[in-house]
Amino acid sequence: MPPHRYLINLRLDFEEMLLVDGELAIAEVAYLAGFSDQSHLAATMKRYRGRTPTMTGYAPARN
């Protein structure tokens, strides 16, 4: 596996862990995982995992 792909996989694993917790917004998760913005996260996730952040089981808590 090329180094860039390995890094992307680590970032995606981390963001999935954060999204499943459901405590943070997708934009915050994208920033914490090292993506430039929410759109970059969604596009990368769709490309490498075949699903978007909302398909991961993310259920935002509305206040």
Side-chain angles (χ1 to χ4, degrees):
M1 174 182 307
H4 182 257
R5 177 66 190 257
Y6 177 75
L7 179 60
I8 293 295
N9 280 336
L10 285 178
R11 287 179 177 173
L12 290 174
D13 289 342
F14 181 65
E15 68 82 18
E16 285 179 349
M17 180 184 68
L18 292 175
L19 285 177
V20 169
D21 287 344
E23 295 179 10
L24 300 172
I26 296 174
E28 292 174 300
V29 169
Y31 174 76
L32 291 173
F35 294 95
S36 58
D37 56 19
Q38 180 177 342
S39 166
H40 183 215
L41 167 63
T44 303
M45 191 172 181
K46 183 74 172 175
R47 179 176 179 194
Y48 290 103
R49 300 285 168 96
R51 60 186 185 276
T52 62
T54 53
M55 297 170 143
T56 304
Y58 170 71
R62 300 284 182 205
N63 293 335

